[in-house]
């Protein structure tokens, strides 16, 4: 006779099946630091220590393998910094060393971020041969004056050529554009969106420039368009992309049908990911808990720590009280939301534990009255902070 099913205690985490597992790889160097950038990126002073850094990444991965035995990697994202500064040979070595240690699904999406100022046709072909199957290009604008104000190392023409050559080597290309830029008018934002659409990529990301602490723009803020003008630019992007057949599936992401970014979807659907590289973060679920980990931000410090087998500078168990908010912070960015069942599947908590908050969000018109999905209304998407705050842990 089988043992009777045990009732789940409120606040207890219990996973029937662990979430999908992705891999994020951080390559932290750039040619020059952009004045708006708060990513963990460092100006390269001399030749990159490619071989040593790849060795550190692999040592870092090896240290995490006992936490993920038997699991498979569903997608890989090589981000930065400027990963396209690395040679195709170094990327190939890194990917084959990863594959030698953990199973990567044969159909895994493998994205590499590239800066239009650091690529030519041979390099793109090399990345393709290394196993990369998706390129994400940081274009930001097609206006030379604006690119100069943003401190970008490429011109608009270089961006156009980079997109063209990326599309010769890859079917799946994303371009990042920004709006709300210094000196930008609504017409200029419209022109950027139109030119981006004409490039015929399958994926498009449009972000509003925000001024972040610890950046040059924070200490010397440029004159930016007013809040209402930025809102108009956002609407102009959304309208132009919808008219061109893109699906607006996440706050800043737009895709041709079937071409959503699988790696990012895994974050938004609260999947697991290993994060290797300087400053990388990860999240790993176990049958009874969820852990988050982080790496040292300085590349030198990171490489030394990885060589000692001690790459993690932070390793903590996420309190079950924080999980509803963390889950919603991600899932509610998706225009279609997520199936109701995903909450229990990805947090390990009892589905009923958020019933009160879901009802309150529906009563405020922020969530659709949908029995099958947790789906934000138009108002919920506009007031996303108000919506996610409803899932913050109650004060003790
Ligand atoms: S290229 Fe990208 S990562 Fe590097 S400094 Fe500029 S914005 Fe930051």
């Amino acid at each position: 006779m089988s043992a009777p099913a045990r009732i789940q205690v409120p606040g207890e985490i219990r996973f029937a099946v662990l979430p999908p597992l992705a891999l994020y790889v951080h390559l932290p160097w750039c040619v020059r630091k952009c004045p708006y950038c708060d990513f963990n990126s460092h100006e390269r002073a001399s030749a990159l220590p490619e071989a040593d850094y790849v060795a550190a990444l692999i040592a870092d991965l090896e240290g995490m393998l006992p936490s993920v035995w038997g699991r498979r990697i569903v997608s890989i994202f090589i981000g930065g910094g400027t990963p396209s500064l690395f040679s195709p040979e170094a990327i190939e070595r890194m990917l084959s060393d990863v594959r030698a240690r953990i199973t990567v699904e044969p159909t895994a999406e493998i994205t590499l971020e590239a800066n239009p100022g650091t690529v030519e046709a041979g390099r793109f072909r090399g990345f393709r041969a290394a196993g990369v199957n998706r390129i994400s290009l940081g274009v930001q604008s097609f206006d030379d004056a604006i690119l100069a104000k943003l401190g970008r190392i490429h011109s608009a023409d270089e961006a156009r050529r980079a997109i063209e050559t990326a599309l010769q080597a890859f079917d799946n290309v994303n371009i990042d554009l920004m709006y709300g830029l210094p000196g930008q008018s609504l017409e200029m934002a419209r022109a950027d969106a139109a030119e981006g659409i004409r490039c015929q990529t399958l994926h498009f990301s449009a972000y509003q420039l925000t001024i972040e602490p610890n950046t040059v723009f924070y200490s010397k803020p440029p004159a930016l368009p007013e809040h209402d003008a930025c809102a108009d630019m956002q609407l102009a992007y959304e309208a132009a992309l919808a008219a061109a057949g893109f699906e607006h599936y996440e706050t800043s992401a737009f895709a041709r049908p079937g071409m959503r970014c699988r790696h990012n979807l895994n974050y938004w659907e609260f999947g697991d990911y290993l994060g290797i590289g300087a400053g990388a973060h990860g999240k790993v679920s176990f049958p009874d808990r969820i852990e988050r980990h982080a790496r040292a931000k300085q590349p030198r410090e990171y490489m030394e720590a990885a060589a000692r087998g001690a790459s993690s500078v932070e390793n903590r168990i996420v309190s079950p009280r924080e999980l509803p908010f963390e889950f919603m912070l991600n899932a509610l960015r998706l225009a279609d939301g997520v199936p109701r069942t995903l909450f229990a599947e990805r947090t390990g908590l009892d589905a009923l534990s958020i019933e009160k908050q879901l009802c309150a969000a529906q009563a405020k018109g922020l969530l659709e009255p949908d029995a099958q999905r947790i789906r934000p209304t138009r108002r919920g998407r506009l007031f996303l902070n108000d919506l996610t705050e409803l899932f913050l842990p109650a004060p003790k």
Side-chain angles (χ1 to χ4, degrees), residues 30 32-34 36-37 39 41 80-82 115 152:
C30 290
R32 198 168 66 205
K33 184 85 179 171
C34 303
Y36 60 90
C37 176
F39 298 143
S41 59
T82 303
N115 184 312
R152 301 292 297 177

Side-chain angles (χ1 to χ4, degrees), residues 18 46 76 103 133 185-186 189 192 256 268 279 285 296 340 368:
L18 294 175
S46 50
I76 300 178
T103 307
N133 53 30
S185 65
L186 178 57
D192 270 353
R256 297 266 175 217
W268 298 320
S285 304
R340 266 193 182 229
E368 296 286 358

